[in-house]
Amino acid sequence: MTDTDDSLRGILAAWPGRFRFPGLLVALSDGTPASLEQLALAGLEGIAGDHDEYRACTGLISAGEFQVAEESLAECQALEISQIEELRTRLSRRRAECLQSLLGRVQHLVDRASAGDVAFVPERDALTALCARSWPQVEERLRADEAALEQALDEKRAELRERSKKAAVGDAERNGGRGGETDAMSAVAALLEAGQLRAAELLLANGASPRPGPESVPPLRGWTQTAETPSEILRQHLNPLIRPPGYARWKPVDERGQELLEAFDALGNNNEATAAQFARALARFLSAEDYPAPPLHRIEGGYLTTITGVFAEAETVRFRPTGSVELFVAAPDAKDRPDLDLRQPYIAVGRSLQASDSPERAACAVLDLGHLVNLVTLRSQVPVQLVRVLGRQWSLDAFTGGSAASLEALLGSEPGERWHVLRWIVDLAGLGDLTTADALLFQAGPDLALLHLFLEFLALPRTAAQPERGAYGVVRDWARDPSFARTVENAALTPIADSTAARVAFWAALSAAVPGQPVTLDEILLCAASVAGDDMPDDGHEPEIRRGLARLAALPLVAQANVGDVRFHRCGVLLILGGDADRKLQETLLQLTEETASARAGLGDILRLGDWRLYQHALRPELRRYEELAASPAAPEEELLTAARALTATAGELPSGVSVDGNSDLVVALLEMRESFTAYYPEVALQIHAPDSAPVAVSPAGLRAILYEVLTNAAEAAAENGEQIVRATVTPSSTEFVVDIQDSGKGLPYAEGSEYRVFRKGESTRGPGRGQGLHIARRLAREVDGDLSVRARIVGHPVLQGAHFQLLLPGAGRAEY
């Protein structure tokens, strides 16, 4: 048999056992016929791998061989239906991940080509079509494109470096032979290093760059390449007799830098005069102007004053239009970063203070001696460099305003301006570089709430257990964090969270086509029917979906939506969500079917006796009348429905003038409520650990209302995880009782130390109309001199690793229940 003999290929292509050999399947499906030697090697690799059909298909999906995997799923008879459904879901998600990676890398190439001012146009559409078939082939094409672009950039970079050298020689000749790197040459070098060749060329040609970005500001030198410490450099500044030859590289550029270092050294005297001296020296160093001395206040641990000139540059003033920042001058022996409640970012300085290496951000940023010794050597853009030093320590709110609305005001509406300002935010806050800003815009698209969410995610400290991927990698791989992925999905759908029909239209449109392509109502209905199968009602939900489609216009990620079609913006978030669109569509369709059937029956709001949700209304006077009606077999459905709607109309609010004074038994209440809890949450195990009795000073209705809110929150959190457990532990403590309520969920989606936000009214990660329950429970507990709080994560349970709430209730002399 020879290489030209196709008989073996024909046999292998029809062989039922081929589905256990992923390499063989790829070789047989390749557009270029594989040689018999390649087929033999692929077969041997399959034998060595010892795959069954399921593992082989899983391997194809992981490798990105999507067309081959699809053919296997369609033709392989050895796979079970449940396995095929699971593998199709995996295939869809993996394809979406690869498409997101592809479009992100293509956009990155386009951005680099534009910044480098070189001609480069990647074949986006052809690559997108290829990505649906084979990711390895896409990667091969991308590597070739990246190499071609890199070569073009290197050639232009070398040309500009040569021009820069000639310009430096010309400057030296004009200055009488005095050389040295000028500010302009430093900026050109920084721009060339960052790939901003267009800006570097303009700077060489005109002496200025239009709207220079942070890439034009070289980083501080730091201490990685020198044996001297900041303290040794300071002694050399203050004593000319001990200066070594290398001192010149740390010499202040003018007397203002020398004055600042002398003022810092004088802080060792620890008095009002030296504190004022340093504040004046710093302000003069930043702006070269003599401002009136600001008021100086003696407070615990030092002095507090105000400094001007920190945000003096045109590119940073937007973040602090007033220009002033409060300055705390600490006592000479203070080593810990101060914690002042100034409600705004501030600076701390002291002889023994050092900027923390901790990734935790705070309102206080330490300006230490190492920073000062670096800053005094700079000839220009000193305020920008200072803000860089401070911004890596400050909370992100210093640059975003703390909300999506504030961020929108900073970024503006023009795309070019938005990108420019975002680069400065990312740089000054120490979140990454130009590629990070590009990745953020690609992921969030035009949705500024998502962009703000991604910035906050990027600012979170990375734990030691997390892989070190760099800022760009963290943004690119955001979907690997399940908790953050759920938060992103909820945030993207917040404007339509109250409309199941709109969410059906969203998931169907995302399933029907790649973001950026228009999708019609007919395609959405066809996709919904295909996913739902026999579960779709006869009318196909067309009226509801048609109305829901028009609602999609409320989503920032939607470029166009009406009753006839929709088109999404192309962004990373939608590409990732699209990988799970079929499953989400199926779930949402089922919910829509249930809601529609309930609404048509007119009984959707009726709560039967024993329903867990009745405890939510334990304090409402209407509850007794409703329970009487529900207990009567002769009660008309319409009357019961009206009473139910009256009862639930003000859910999430406390009746005016309600009192929770009285006595009850905590253990009796928990045991009574467990039956209704288990009926409503059959998959969640409610464990109660308690003494025989726990009399507390709160009315029975008030106690049940509190327990309902906390247990409901725990049950919903546990239901999102694998093993679903809620545990309530009652412990006597002096004259009080402590109830620890723990769950096996994924925990609160807040940064360490900010869990208190869960008690804010309206604060919720579960969509609009939520966020009242825990606020109400805490308010009721405090009305009887009790409390409700979140326990620190560091003392978490080894199994129940979700949220841990602690309810404190005062004991009563006797129980009345």
Side-chain angles (χ1 to χ4, degrees), residues 710-768:
V710 185
L711 290 174
T712 296
N713 181 80
E716 290 180 350
E720 297 175 354
N721 213 347
E723 189 177 11
Q724 302 177 27
I725 302 173
V726 173
R727 177 179 296 173
T729 306
V730 181
T731 308
S733 177
S734 185
T735 60
E736 302 167 322
F737 285 95
V738 178
V739 188
D740 290 287
I741 298 178
Q742 300 163 274
D743 63 67
S744 59
K746 298 185 181 298
L748 296 174
Y750 301 106
E752 189 80 34
S754 65
E755 297 92 343
Y756 62 87
R757 291 171 53 188
V758 75
F759 296 112
R760 288 180 179 173
K761 188 174 182 179
E763 181 79 23
S764 176
T765 60
R766 295 192 173 97

Side-chain angles (χ1 to χ4, degrees), residues 438-475:
D438 288 339
L440 286 167
L441 281 180
F442 172 70
Q443 295 295 342
D447 191 331
L448 294 186
L450 280 180
L451 180 60
H452 186 257
L453 193 65
F454 271 99
L455 285 168
E456 288 188 321
F457 177 64
L458 196 55
L460 290 175
R462 304 289 113 184
T463 65
Q466 291 172 314
E468 185 58 49
R469 298 193 297 269
Y472 175 79
V474 169
V475 177

Side-chain angles (χ1 to χ4, degrees), residues 152-164:
L153 290 174
D154 284 344
E155 291 173 357
K156 184 157 188 176
R157 190 181 284 113
E159 174 195 340
L160 292 175
R161 281 185 176 142
E162 190 62 31
R163 286 176 57 184
S164 179

Side-chain angles (χ1 to χ4, degrees), residues 538-555:
D538 293 338
D539 63 5
H541 288 308
E542 180 173 348
E544 295 94 338
I545 296 177
R546 184 185 295 274
R547 290 191 295 270
L549 181 58
R551 283 284 306 274
L552 295 188
L555 295 176

Side-chain angles (χ1 to χ4, degrees), residues 482-505:
S483 176
F484 182 67
R486 287 195 303 273
T487 303
V488 168
E489 179 184 323
N490 291 336
L493 294 175
T494 293
I496 59 169
D498 63 333
S499 172
T500 306
R503 285 183 281 117
V504 167

Side-chain angles (χ1 to χ4, degrees), residues 332-548:
D333 57 347
K335 295 183 179 180
D336 296 326
R337 182 170 64 182
D339 185 16
L340 306 178
D341 186 13
L342 302 181
R343 305 298 174 90
Q344 58 185 347
Y346 66 97
I347 308 170
V349 66
R351 283 299 305 267
S352 301
L353 283 182
Q354 286 190 328
S356 172
D357 293 331
S358 169
E360 295 285 349
R361 295 173 176 267
C364 173
V366 173
L367 180 60
D368 62 22
L369 178 58
H371 298 142
L372 293 175
V373 171
N374 269 275
L375 290 169
V376 299
T377 65
L378 303 178
R379 299 178 182 276
S380 63
Q381 297 176 308
V382 175
V384 170
Q385 296 281 26
L386 176 60
V387 175
R388 269 183 176 168
V389 166
L390 304 173
R392 283 150 173 75
Q393 304 175 61
W394 274 335
S395 300
L396 184 62
D397 293 0
F399 301 103
T400 65
S403 69
S406 300
L407 180 62
E408 182 175 12
L410 281 167
L411 296 178
S413 58
E414 197 275 317
E417 175 71 9
R418 178 171 294 184
W419 179 68
H420 179 78
V421 177
L422 180 63
R423 285 158 59 204
W424 277 105
I425 292 174
V426 169
D427 178 87
L428 296 176
L431 301 181
D433 54 15
L434 179 66
T435 61
T436 307
D438 288 339
L440 286 167
L441 281 180
F442 172 70
Q443 295 295 342
D447 191 331
L448 294 186
L450 280 180
L451 180 60
H452 186 257
L453 193 65
F454 271 99
L455 285 168
E456 288 188 321
F457 177 64
L458 196 55
L460 290 175
R462 304 289 113 184
T463 65
Q466 291 172 314
E468 185 58 49
R469 298 193 297 269
Y472 175 79
V474 169
V475 177
R476 179 195 61 206
D477 300 331
W478 61 270
R480 295 185 183 181
D481 186 319
S483 176
F484 182 67
R486 287 195 303 273
T487 303
V488 168
E489 179 184 323
N490 291 336
L493 294 175
T494 293
I496 59 169
D498 63 333
S499 172
T500 306
R503 285 183 281 117
V504 167
F506 173 86
W507 291 116
L510 203 55
S511 176
V514 174
Q517 298 178 358
V519 183
T520 66
L521 173 63
D522 289 341
E523 290 172 325
I524 288 174
L525 293 172
L526 182 63
C527 183
S530 173
V531 169
D534 295 336
D535 295 329
M536 179 74 87
D538 293 338
D539 63 5
H541 288 308
E542 180 173 348
E544 295 94 338
I545 296 177
R546 184 185 295 274
R547 290 191 295 270

